[in-house]
Amino acid sequence: MGLVRILLPLPRAAARLAPERGGPLLGAALSYCVTPTWAGLRSPSPGRRLAWAEEAVAVYRATADAEGLGRALALRAHALLLSGRYDEACAAVADAVAVPGAQASPVLAAFAGDVRAQALAGAGRTEEAVSVARACVEAYRGLSASERRERALGSLPGALRTYGMLLAAVGRTEESVAVYEECAALLAAMSLRELSHVELVRPRVLAELVGGLRASGRHQDALGVGPEAREALRGPVAWAVPEIVLPLRVRLLVDLARCHSATGAPVEARACAVEAVAEARKPHGAAELTPALDCLADVLGELGRTDKESITRRESAELRDT
């Protein structure tokens, strides 16, 4: 992807000089730049993704490539989702699956469904999003072996993660945990090559599974998943998208601390809580600092460290007041 971005001036020049041949080439290059890819590479900003997607849509509208236009519209919907423009993303999904003259693509339809589910949730229509996410999972399950290899436009693990997340959001915790466990098992059976296309799904699923197990009262099970979840939040993925990984890591450490407390291991709980606070003090973890401090204060209280507990609670209260 990085090389294609650098070389974009070439297909742009080709499209200007010879629109009939250069247009489809430019559209394909722009679509490639916008397509979700391996998390080990730094992703472009949502604004830049959206600009490329808009350009790709404009390019394909000037060609006879209906399939290319449908794909560009779906990628535009995804870029709008990443930009937080949820209502526009839902409208863009409808455009993507209704391109005149385009052959119905099961892969494109499944990807569009996943984008729509997330956009509906972002727009506050979570109950509606759950049914869309369930249909999206079934759509990915129904893909043929050859279609499943086209992982650039989403995947079954990604759709399962969306479904599990939405089930948790509407309070269906046990169902959410079951979906997360299915997804984790699916990821565990994947080859390294297959995992490279869903690199960001794995840490999210494992961290959110720990949270779901904790919410279900399955503290020992959560602690059992903990080491794998912590490992998944290290390495290239942490470097590539710290704004996603660091908050996940803080929430994971808080969940593990709470589980240790629930199972009568306050010393281990304190170690996790201290680490959570340290991670939350980093720029990308700031939003999670208050719950991390609350967790540490509770653990310090369990250990009888009332002086440090008081200091920690004071800092937490000051953060809430700012």
Side-chain angles (χ1 to χ4, degrees):
M1 178 191 281
L3 182 60
V4 175
R5 293 180 207 166
I6 294 169
L7 297 178
L8 268 179
L10 296 179
R12 282 195 177 111
R16 189 168 55 252
L17 296 171
E20 289 187 4
R21 293 186 178 180
L25 177 63
L26 176 58
L30 289 164
S31 296
Y32 185 74
C33 289
V34 182
T35 300
T37 188
W38 182 50
L41 298 175
R42 281 196 180 276
S43 296
S45 68
R48 197 172 183 191
R49 277 186 187 274
L50 183 56
W52 285 332
E54 298 277 13
E55 185 180 357
V57 169
V59 167
Y60 276 117
R61 286 197 191 281
T63 73
D65 188 348
E67 281 73 27
L69 177 58
R71 184 185 180 97
L73 285 167
L75 291 169
R76 177 177 175 270
H78 185 253
L80 286 165
L81 170 67
L82 295 177
S83 300
R85 295 163 61 176
Y86 303 119
D87 290 329
E88 292 175 77
C90 287
V93 166
D95 290 341
V97 297
V99 175
Q103 292 184 350
S105 166
V107 177
L108 182 65
F111 174 69
D114 191 26
V115 172
R116 182 166 183 262
Q118 294 182 59
L120 286 169
R125 298 158 62 184
T126 312
E127 289 286 354
E128 185 180 351
V130 171
S131 61
V132 173
R134 182 175 60 250
C136 178
V137 167
E138 294 309 314
Y140 274 113
R141 290 193 202 281
L143 296 179
S144 66
S146 60
E147 288 168 333
R148 285 176 187 157
R149 284 195 287 271
E150 192 183 340
R151 297 185 185 278
L153 285 182
S155 65
L156 177 56
L160 284 167
R161 186 260 167 177
T162 299
Y163 187 34
M165 176 184 64
L166 293 174
L167 287 169
V170 297
R172 294 163 62 178
T173 307
E174 296 296 336
E175 292 174 80
S176 171
V177 168
V179 171
Y180 276 128
E181 288 179 324
E182 178 187 353
C183 189
L186 187 62
L187 290 165
M190 285 184 166
S191 67
L192 289 176
R193 182 186 61 79
E194 290 172 320
L195 282 172
S196 70
H197 294 283
V198 291
E199 188 72 13
L200 193 52
V201 175
R202 181 170 175 263
R204 281 174 160 162
V205 165
L206 292 172
E208 290 164 10
L209 173 57
V210 169
L213 289 167
R214 176 199 158 202
S216 299
R218 295 168 57 184
H219 301 115
Q220 289 291 0
D221 289 339
L223 291 172
V225 177
E228 185 181 2
R230 295 185 69 165
E231 179 275 329
L233 288 165
R234 298 190 181 100
V237 69
W239 171 85
V241 280
E243 68 279 7
I244 294 175
V245 170
L246 193 55
L248 271 177
R249 187 183 297 140
V250 176
R251 290 194 290 271
L252 171 65
L253 289 165
V254 168
D255 284 330
L256 293 175
R258 297 292 190 188
C259 289
H260 279 302
S261 290
T263 55
V267 174
E268 289 82 355
R270 180 182 181 278
C272 285
V274 166
E275 188 178 352
V277 169
E279 292 291 282
R281 292 194 190 281
K282 298 175 182 178
H284 289 298
E288 302 296 327
L289 181 54
T290 300
L293 287 167
D294 290 340
C295 177
L296 178 58
D298 290 343
V299 173
L300 290 170
E302 291 175 22
L303 291 168
R305 304 295 298 274
T306 54
D307 51 342
K308 290 189 175 182
E309 177 191 1
S310 178
I311 293 170
T312 305
R313 291 198 189 282
R314 190 179 307 120
E315 181 182 358
S316 177
E318 289 171 354
L319 282 174
R320 286 189 172 88
D321 292 339
T322 57

